[in-house]
Amino acid sequence: HDAIAVLDAQGVVRHWNRGAERLLGIDAAKATGRPLVELAAWPADAGRAVARAVAGEAVREEWRLALADGTVHLEAVLSPV
């Protein structure tokens, strides 16, 4: 199941699905209303990718994200709406 997060123009999480909960181990209640970049130890370029998407660019990135229970490989697709 895909992890889906919907962000507003400031990069704040407005929707966090069950796939995101399972993959990242962060429940929707904790994620919603917080800036995405504060939810985990994201790679340095993650904030720049979010800013590019907010500016209207479709962005595709691959990251390794270190979590408490291991490392996960993410393929992120960020699309402006």
Side-chain angles (χ1 to χ4, degrees):
H1 298 113
D2 291 338
I4 299 172
V6 177
L7 311 178
D8 65 16
Q10 288 73 43
V12 174
V13 174
R14 296 299 169 204
H15 174 77
W16 190 260
N17 78 345
R18 288 187 180 160
E21 288 180 330
R22 281 190 297 274
L23 180 67
L24 300 174
I26 302 168
D27 64 47
K30 180 178 178 184
T32 303
R34 295 187 55 202
L36 180 67
V37 296
E38 291 181 4
L39 295 176
W42 296 91
D45 61 341
R48 290 188 296 275
V50 170
R52 288 171 41 212
V54 167
E57 181 181 346
V59 180
R60 178 178 227 110
E61 297 279 345
E62 291 189 24
W63 299 311
R64 287 199 172 288
L65 183 61
L67 302 174
D69 58 353
T71 301
V72 65
H73 176 260
L74 298 175
E75 181 179 335
V77 178
L78 301 114
S79 302
V81 180

